[in-house]
Amino acid sequence: MMARPHVMVVPYPAQGHVIPLMELSLILVKEGIKITFVNTKENHDRMKSAVPCGDDSLLSQICPVGISDGMESSEERKRPGKSSGAVLKVMPEKVEELIECINGSESEKITCVLADQSIGWALDVAEKKGIRRAAFCPASAAQLVLGFSISKFIDTGIIDNDGTPLEKQVIQLSPTMPRVSTEKLVWVCVGNKTTQSHIFQLMVKNIESMKKTEWLLCNSSHELESAAFSMAPEIIPIGPLLSCNQLGHSAGNFWPQDLTCLKWLDQQPPNSVIYVAFGSFTKFSPSQFQELRLALELSNRPFLWVVQPEESKIAYPEGFVERVVERGRVVGWSPQKKILSHSSVACFISHCGWNSTLESVSNGIPVLCWPYFADQFLNKSYVCDVWKVGLGLEPNESGMMTEGEIRSKIQQILNDEELKSRARDLKKKIQIGTAQGGLSNKNLDSFINWIKS
Ligand code: UDP
């Protein structure tokens, strides 16, 4: 029997990075390609305990491996800059050892390394070992293009050599690209000065590693980001990768999904539910949490709200649960892709992580944008300014999204027929790209053929 092509997949250790690379891995497995999926030990264990046994036959064909990131505890991982530091220091060696071990003992040797573009070292290790490689970007192409423009930004005095903006201004690379303020550039709006500089230098380094790959894949589509793809034709769109929607499994999740809310959704009127979720990182202050809680309570509409267990320690006022029990549901972690494709959902209050944004627009769901950090501000600009399928929530002078603001924007978005119609049109366009013969679909086929060649 001929040995199968064997791809080692290395995601960045965060939920929003693991899910789309798991999606891509499942597609490759279906094509008869062997997959070794490398996680940090912590994420490997989380994923294992989150997926019910026997949940999925395709998933069981993926070979998961957990390697140490060299950190003692989850607390240590949460410290700013700590996690990315460890990913840089300890993991490259471990991945190299793993490649040596597999290629020294197994008949199906690793023929390709497919790594998240934000961990360029995995691509460097592959190059050192003489293995073919592909980079994968789980964020927008526009975000990558901003990264590619760093030297231009330095030359034109927009930022200094450390990535710090010299003055506050809005950057828009072309009229059909999203806008971003210099103070919201991805490396500027994370952590303290040291973390920012560290992330900036890492981005510059990763861009160098990306140049040495045969493929730079992006979880996006021409229909969504044509301007970005014409500015950087080396970025190949293969998305949105939402196949699990159809196959119905929950691969790659770090927490068990509360599936009972799907039954609850079935009982709600069509187009009525406000879905509220902020991805895997976002944390609220207690007072901000209460403003949102009040807005949902007073909106008098059905809502489904994801509150991660850590946050649910924030107390609900007496009587809240009883008052909203008929029309409100709070869950710890939802089957989000299934929710956003459910006909009862009317709009999504979202932090605008790229995966959430893709999942929303692919289903024609209008977005009420509440970005926090990283690339979320850029994604918000896509939603509100470029595709015009959502509205932005505006903070008051103390940076708070008030109950009044949230309620009034919910009202506004649900009454905006033109916006909703644009959201439905965008959904159709995206489907063309991923259907047989569409651009994303063709690119994915070419990539698969390359792996098999
Ligand atoms: N997600 C989920 N259940 C939840 C919340 C989020 O399955 O209750 C998934 C969501 O569908 C998306 C990912 O987690 O695929 C979050 O990625 P995103 O880029 O939106 O945000 P991040 O967590 O990276 O900030």
Side-chain angles (χ1 to χ4, degrees), residues 16 19 253 275 279-281 306 333-334 336 351 353-356 359:
I19 289 180
N253 282 260
Y275 174 58
S280 55
F281 280 108
V306 179
W333 189 252
S334 79
Q336 181 165 303
H351 71 313
W354 185 244
N355 294 293
S356 294
E359 290 157 15

Side-chain angles (χ1 to χ4, degrees), residues 145-160:
V145 173
L146 277 176
F148 293 165
S149 310
I150 282 175
S151 51
K152 195 173 80 192
F153 294 157
I154 295 175
D155 292 348
T156 50
I158 293 176
I159 55 173
D160 67 14

Side-chain angles (χ1 to χ4, degrees), residues 14-17 19-20 23 138-139 242 250 252-258 275-282 305-308 331-340 348 350-359 373-376 379:
Q15 180 68 100
H17 293 244
I19 289 180
E23 299 268 6
L242 300 173
S250 52
N253 282 260
F254 290 174
W255 301 279
Q257 297 177 328
D258 184 334
Y275 174 58
V276 190
F278 301 91
S280 55
F281 280 108
T282 312
W305 184 13
V306 179
V307 181
Q308 287 204 265
V331 295
W333 189 252
S334 79
Q336 181 165 303
K337 287 190 198 112
K338 287 186 197 142
I339 284 166
L340 289 169
F348 181 14
S350 170
H351 71 313
C352 298
W354 185 244
N355 294 293
S356 294
T357 305
L358 286 179
E359 290 157 15
F373 82 127
D375 59 343
Q376 296 158 10
N379 302 340

Side-chain angles (χ1 to χ4, degrees), residues 80-383:
K82 261 291 195 188
S83 184
S84 52
V87 168
L88 275 181
K89 282 195 197 92
V90 183
M91 291 182 70
E93 213 176 281
K94 304 270 176 205
V95 166
E96 193 169 340
E97 281 167 18
L98 185 62
I99 294 177
E100 280 165 9
C101 173
I102 293 175
N103 285 1
S105 62
E106 290 187 23
S107 56
E108 291 178 320
K109 308 214 180 302
I110 291 165
T111 50
C112 172
V113 169
L114 168 60
D116 197 304
Q117 58 84 23
S118 59
I119 39 173
W121 57 256
L123 301 164
D124 299 340
V125 168
E127 189 193 20
K128 185 173 155 199
K129 295 276 161 206
I131 299 173
R132 300 202 292 177
R133 56 221 161 265
F136 175 81
C137 173
S140 66
Q143 181 53 49
L144 266 184
V145 173
L146 277 176
F148 293 165
S149 310
I150 282 175
S151 51
K152 195 173 80 192
F153 294 157
I154 295 175
D155 292 348
T156 50
I158 293 176
I159 55 173
D160 67 14
N161 282 326
D162 227 15
T164 308
L166 298 179
E167 58 179 286
K168 187 178 161 184
Q169 56 180 296
V170 172
I171 299 178
Q172 187 177 26
L173 294 172
S174 92
T176 47
M177 289 276 273
R179 291 190 276 271
V180 65
S181 159
T182 44
E183 58 179 3
K184 302 287 188 207
L185 282 165
V186 72
W187 60 87
V188 180
C189 60
V190 279
N192 59 20
K193 204 85 198 76
T194 319
T195 313
Q196 287 169 18
S197 160
H198 174 79
I199 290 181
F200 179 72
Q201 300 307 338
L202 195 60
M203 273 185 73
V204 172
K205 196 160 175 284
N206 286 335
I207 288 164
E208 285 312 304
S209 307
M210 253 182 276
K211 286 186 186 151
K212 292 181 282 182
T213 62
E214 277 111 319
W215 290 86
L216 173 48
L217 306 167
C218 184
N219 190 15
S220 181
S221 80
H222 223 274
E223 290 71 20
L224 287 170
E225 301 198 78
S226 60
F229 291 111
S230 20
M231 290 182 93
E234 66 273 38
I235 310 175
I236 310 294
I238 56 163
L241 296 168
L242 300 173
S243 60
C244 289
N245 233 348
Q246 282 80 45
L247 299 172
H249 40 58
S250 52
N253 282 260
F254 290 174
W255 301 279
Q257 297 177 328
D258 184 334
L259 298 174
T260 59
C261 58
L262 291 170
K263 288 205 184 73
W264 176 83
L265 266 187
D266 289 342
Q267 290 154 13
Q268 306 307 313
N271 249 314
S272 66
V273 175
I274 302 161
Y275 174 58
V276 190
F278 301 91
S280 55
F281 280 108
T282 312
K283 299 276 170 285
F284 286 108
S285 68
S287 48
Q288 182 61 87
F289 184 87
Q290 295 305 343
E291 290 290 320
L292 174 58
R293 196 258 323 143
L294 194 59
L296 293 175
E297 182 170 352
L298 297 179
S299 75
N300 238 343
R301 295 171 187 279
F303 65 85
L304 175 56
W305 184 13
V306 179
V307 181
Q308 287 204 265
E310 223 168 280
E311 247 172 355
S312 61
K313 286 182 201 139
I314 302 177
Y316 297 103
E318 205 174 324
F320 168 73
V321 177
E322 292 76 13
R323 286 196 299 273
V324 299
V325 72
E326 291 297 323
R327 59 177 176 87
R329 229 10 231 269
V330 179
V331 295
W333 189 252
S334 79
Q336 181 165 303
K337 287 190 198 112
K338 287 186 197 142
I339 284 166
L340 289 169
S341 64
H342 196 289
S343 58
S344 295
V345 174
C347 85
F348 181 14
I349 304 186
S350 170
H351 71 313
C352 298
W354 185 244
N355 294 293
S356 294
T357 305
L358 286 179
E359 290 157 15
S360 202
V361 295
S362 301
N363 287 297
I365 304 290
V367 191
L368 205 43
C369 302
W370 188 334
Y372 269 80
F373 82 127
D375 59 343
Q376 296 158 10
F377 297 95
L378 191 69
N379 302 340
K380 173 197 169 189
S381 176
Y382 258 137
V383 170

Side-chain angles (χ1 to χ4, degrees), residues 431-442:
Q431 279 171 343
I432 294 172
T434 50
Q436 196 77 33
L439 265 176
S440 281
N441 187 275
K442 280 190 190 159

